[in-house]
């Protein structure tokens, strides 16, 4: 039981903890911070065997913070900085960073750091999946259909570039936001896809990864400067696919084709939310592949039965699909 709790918290809080601690200590210590957070979850798996803390999240935050401080002290990473922040003003400062709105802000900053133009596109995706969503190197390799040693090298290069270029933990300038957003959405898409089509044969769907991608997209939409027609269309697509999760796997752990899914198991509030997001997307001038994908997905999900699908619309592009993502209903 305790391992399930730890696994759940890892998926939902690893990225948050890395982002918060990075915001406080700085990007130059990103690898140390990741190690500290990893150590924290290992410690949790060991100590929670007999009893789970009343507030597991607070326990993880406290232990990760202290572990980071211990590591930095031990390697004497900062000679002129006082790292005794367990009490006083500095302690208050880091504790405030764990407030909900600060957590969200820290994660958004981390997303844009991961998609910084100084990083090679392949490094961006690997770094984002590792730091934001807590993917292991093995999971990243599976998601990107790449060897594990290749992913390890990409992560190493990304961290080195961040240090060499002195990349700051901040948002991009207004004129570069939408350019960076395209990469951000791709990274979130890959996170969702690993949950929607899991590489784990024993667990064909990882709802927590789908939920994490959904949450990150919601975080972006809360910031007015990040909103666009593409982002709303992308969010609508996630809503539509999330709504079908319960019907995708049979009782004998087999994937159920859309045609044979039990539509009574679809979560219609999410479909309604997706329809609203699609409508919102039309208020913006930009368009993207997500507009096409979500329009086709909408026809499938809003039909009462499979036979009632508007095939004239939903078959557009089937023979020449422009989408390379495996969660597209056309592919």
């Amino acid at each position: 039981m305790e391992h399930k709790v730890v696994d759940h918290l890892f998926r939902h809080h690893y990225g948050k903890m890395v982002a918060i601690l990075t915001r406080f200590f700085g990007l130059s210590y990103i690898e140390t911070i990741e190690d500290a957070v990893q150590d924290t979850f290992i410690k949790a798996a060991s100590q929670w065997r007999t009893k789970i803390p009343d507030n597991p999240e607070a326990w993880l935050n406290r232990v990760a913070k202290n572990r980071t401080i211990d590591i930095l002290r031990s390697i004497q990473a900062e000679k002129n900085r006082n790292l005794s922040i367990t009490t006083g003003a500095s302690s208050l400062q880091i504790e405030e960073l764990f407030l909900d709105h600060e957590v969200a802000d820290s994660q958004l900053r981390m997303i844009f750091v991961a998609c910084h133009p100084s990083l090679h596109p392949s490094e961006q995706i690997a770094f984002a999946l590792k730091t934001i969503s807590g993917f292991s190197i093995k999971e990243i390799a599976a998601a990107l259909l790449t060897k594990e040693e290749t992913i390890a090298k990409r992560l190493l290069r990304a961290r080195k570039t961040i240090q060499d270029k002195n990349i700051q933990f901040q948002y991009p300038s207004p004129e570069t936001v939408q350019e960076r957003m395209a990469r951000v959405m791709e990274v979130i898409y890959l996170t969702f896809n690993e949950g929607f089509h899991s590489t784990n044969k024993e667990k064909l769907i990882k709802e927590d990864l789908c939920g994490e991608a959904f949450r990150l997209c919601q975080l972006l939409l809360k910031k007015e400067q990040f909103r666009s027609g593409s982002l709303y269309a992308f969010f609508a697509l996630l809503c539509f696919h999330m709504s079908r999760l319960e019907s995708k796997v049979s009782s004998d752990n087999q994937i159920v084709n859309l045609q044979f899914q039990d539509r009574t198991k679809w979560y219609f509030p999410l479909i309604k939310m997706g329809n609203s997001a699609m409508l919102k997307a039309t208020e913006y001038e930009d368009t993207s592949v997500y507009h096409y994908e979500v329009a086709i997905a909408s026809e499938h999900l809003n039909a009462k039965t499979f036979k009632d699908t508007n095939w004239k619309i939903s078959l557009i592009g089937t023979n020449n699909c422009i989408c390379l993502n495996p969660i597209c209903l056309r592919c």
Side-chain angles (χ1 to χ4, degrees):
M1 177 63 183
E2 73 281 349
H3 288 297
K4 291 183 179 179
V5 173
V6 173
D7 289 345
H8 174 80
L9 288 171
F10 183 87
R11 284 303 187 194
H12 288 272
H13 294 282
Y14 175 90
K16 295 179 183 179
M17 294 163 68
V18 169
I20 294 164
L21 293 172
T22 300
R23 186 172 176 181
F24 188 83
F25 292 107
L27 275 166
S28 59
Y29 298 114
I30 181 66
E31 190 169 6
T32 298
I33 290 167
E34 288 183 295
D35 289 342
V37 173
Q38 188 78 36
D39 289 347
T40 299
F41 281 98
I42 293 173
K43 186 174 182 179
S46 175
Q47 292 193 5
W48 294 4
R49 290 176 181 175
T50 55
K51 183 181 180 181
I52 297 174
D54 293 334
N55 190 336
E57 294 178 28
W59 187 97
L60 290 170
N61 292 338
R62 183 182 69 255
V63 173
K65 178 189 70 175
N66 292 336
R67 178 59 179 155
T68 303
I69 295 170
D70 289 342
I71 293 175
L72 292 177
R73 278 177 178 156
S74 67
I75 62 176
Q76 297 179 340
E78 284 187 310
K79 296 180 180 179
N80 300 319
R81 182 173 180 180
N82 178 15
L83 291 174
S84 181
I85 61 169
T86 54
T87 60
S90 295
S91 179
L92 177 62
Q93 181 183 353
I94 195 170
E95 292 303 328
E96 288 178 346
L97 290 179
F98 284 95
L99 298 175
D100 288 344
H101 68 282
E102 294 291 357
V103 171
D105 188 71
S106 295
Q107 282 206 284
L108 287 177
R109 289 169 186 262
M110 184 63 84
I111 291 173
F112 283 103
V113 166
C115 298
H116 195 281
S118 294
L119 274 63
H120 188 276
S122 62
E123 297 167 8
Q124 291 175 348
I125 295 175
F127 183 76
L129 293 176
K130 179 72 169 67
T131 58
I132 298 166
S133 300
F135 276 39
S136 66
I137 289 179
K138 182 178 181 179
E139 288 174 321
I140 299 172
L144 301 181
L145 303 177
T146 307
K147 295 180 179 179
E148 292 181 36
E149 52 265 36
T150 301
I151 297 301
K153 290 179 181 178
R154 290 178 184 177
L155 291 173
L156 185 63
R157 288 196 300 267
R159 294 180 184 123
K160 187 176 186 303
T161 300
I162 287 172
Q163 290 190 354
D164 292 347
K165 298 286 186 179
N166 193 27
I167 295 174
Q168 299 299 303
F169 197 66
Q170 59 190 22
Y171 293 125
S173 59
E175 60 270 17
T176 63
V177 164
Q178 290 310 319
E179 181 182 348
R180 297 269 286 278
M181 280 297 300
R183 205 61 182 170
V184 168
M185 286 188 284
E186 183 176 346
V187 167
I188 295 176
Y189 207 155
L190 282 170
T191 302
F192 185 88
N193 185 61
E194 175 58 19
F196 200 72
H197 288 295
S198 172
T199 53
N200 187 331
K201 295 181 180 180
E202 295 181 1
K203 190 171 178 59
L204 299 177
I205 294 177
K206 294 182 179 178
E207 293 89 347
D208 53 350
L209 286 182
C210 293
E212 177 68 5
F214 186 83
R215 186 187 67 81
L216 291 175
C217 195
Q218 283 183 309
L219 285 182
L220 290 166
L221 285 171
K222 288 180 179 179
K223 296 280 189 180
E224 186 174 355
Q225 67 266 37
F226 301 147
R227 296 171 189 166
S228 65
S230 298
L231 184 57
Y232 272 108
F234 176 58
F235 180 66
L237 186 65
L238 295 188
C239 287
F240 288 154
H241 288 303
M242 285 277 289
S243 71
R244 298 192 296 112
L245 288 182
E246 189 177 345
S247 65
K248 272 203 66 185
V249 180
S250 65
S251 57
D252 58 346
N253 198 38
Q254 298 294 319
I255 290 292
V256 180
N257 185 280
L258 176 67
Q259 179 178 358
F260 302 105
Q261 289 177 11
D262 182 354
R263 299 190 177 213
T264 64
K265 292 183 178 180
W266 290 0
Y267 190 65
F268 286 92
L270 272 176
I271 296 176
K272 183 178 179 180
M273 187 182 295
N275 288 334
S276 297
M278 277 187 66
L279 184 61
K280 193 71 177 177
T282 63
E283 298 178 9
Y284 296 81
E285 294 182 358
D286 66 297
T287 57
S288 66
V289 65
Y290 301 117
H291 286 76
Y292 296 100
E293 289 187 43
V294 77
I296 293 168
S298 174
E299 292 298 330
H300 284 281
L301 270 72
N302 287 292
K304 291 184 178 180
T305 67
F306 186 75
K307 292 182 179 180
D308 291 332
T309 305
N310 186 342
W311 292 105
K312 185 177 181 181
I313 298 294
S314 63
L315 289 176
I316 292 177
T318 299
N319 295 324
N320 189 25
C321 186
I322 60 175
C323 169
L324 297 179
N325 295 298
I327 66 172
C328 174
L329 284 170
R330 293 174 293 165
C331 301

